[in-house]
Structure formats: structure tokens, C-alpha cells
Amino acid sequence: RSSDLFILADGILMKALTLVLILFLTGCVQPPKPLRGDYSTMPPQQYQKKPVTDLKVRWTGIVIEVENKPEHSCLTIMAKVPNQYARPSYQNRVDLGRFIACKPKFLEPKYFTARAVTVTGRVKRLVVKKIDTLDYSYPLVDADVIYLW
């Protein structure tokens, strides 16, 4: 019967369209252009234990402090697990330590404090700063991109 063939063809067409849509959407799941590239998967906590000079990273997290100096500005960031867009994940809220990201320009504290950012750049060294009375070793990133979400 022709109606049975129409239902069969309609079902096959729907499956094909669904497959094409899934393939299209999964191809679109990637970070914004400024954050794309090949980066180390080493998180800040692991870097603290085994520093690697000039390690190329893409780290994300929440800004907890902004420090402006005449020659540069630095963000202190509480590192988070990234999602598929390289943004801090809302599903996986694990803290990955802290890091500092610096740029040779003024960064407005009112604009950055308590905001989500993703940073790309190279880790230069560890910098020891106090958190209350604790000496904490922060990986210092010479930031190429500071992407504000």
C-alpha cells in the first residue's frame, strides 16, 4: 500500500534529518575563535607540583582579585574545570587551584572581579603570595587572551 511506503519513507527521512542535525551541532561545540588551538591539559594544581617553563595553557575560572601596576595588570583566578566551550563548567564545580594571568594593559577591577574568564598564554613560573597566613605558589601566565564570559 502506498500509505505504508509513505510512512516508511517519512520515518527514514526523519532519522536522516536527525542524524544530520546531530552531526552539525556537535561540529559547532567548540570554544570561541580566540580560545581555539592546542594547549596543555595540565591544570594549575598539577603545574604547582611539576612546573614546566613556557607551558602553553588555556585555563578558566572566576576572577577573585585584580591588581593594576604602572606597567601591567594581573588577575588572580580561582581555576575551574572547563566545559566544551572552554568556559568554567556549571556541572563540574571542582576547584583546580589558583593562578595569576597578566597583560601589559589596565584591567578594570569593576569589570573583571567575580566574573568568569578563560585565559590563553604561557606559564612563566611560580609566584609565591600570601592567602591570609599561607604562602601559596601561583602559576603565572603571560596572557595572550583574557576572554570575559
Side-chain angles (χ1 to χ4, degrees), residues 12-87:
I12 292 171
L13 181 63
M14 285 305 293
K15 287 179 184 176
L17 285 174
T18 302
L19 180 61
V20 168
L21 183 61
I22 289 170
L23 291 172
F24 175 74
L25 290 176
T26 56
C28 295
V29 177
Q30 58 183 338
K33 280 187 181 182
L35 301 177
R36 293 180 193 163
D38 294 321
Y39 300 96
S40 170
T41 58
M42 179 186 289
Q45 283 176 331
Q46 188 178 347
Y47 184 91
Q48 289 169 315
K49 296 172 186 160
K50 292 185 179 181
V52 178
T53 305
D54 279 336
L55 183 68
K56 189 177 175 186
V57 297
R58 180 179 61 207
W59 289 341
T60 190
I62 308 300
V63 176
I64 53 178
E65 183 181 29
V66 180
E67 184 179 5
N68 286 296
K69 295 185 176 183
E71 65 281 358
H72 66 273
S73 297
C74 296
L75 305 177
T76 301
I77 301 164
M78 182 175 32
K80 298 290 186 180
V81 174
N83 67 12
Q84 67 271 28
Y85 302 105
R87 181 180 187 154

Side-chain angles (χ1 to χ4, degrees), residues 55-133:
L55 183 68
K56 189 177 175 186
V57 297
R58 180 179 61 207
W59 289 341
T60 190
I62 308 300
V63 176
I64 53 178
E65 183 181 29
V66 180
E67 184 179 5
N68 286 296
K69 295 185 176 183
E71 65 281 358
H72 66 273
S73 297
C74 296
L75 305 177
T76 301
I77 301 164
M78 182 175 32
K80 298 290 186 180
V81 174
N83 67 12
Q84 67 271 28
Y85 302 105
R87 181 180 187 154
S89 174
Y90 291 109
Q91 281 76 35
N92 189 344
R93 296 178 181 248
V94 174
D95 290 337
L96 297 176
R98 294 181 176 196
F99 67 98
I100 296 172
C102 298
K103 290 265 306 170
K105 67 181 205 172
F106 177 78
L107 299 173
E108 176 58 60
K110 297 274 185 203
Y111 197 59
F112 282 93
T113 304
R115 299 278 304 271
V117 295
T118 299
V119 174
T120 64
R122 295 194 180 273
V123 187
K124 294 302 179 185
R125 58 183 162 49
L126 292 173
V127 175
V128 178
K129 290 178 72 173
K130 292 262 187 210
I131 301 176
D132 298 322
T133 59

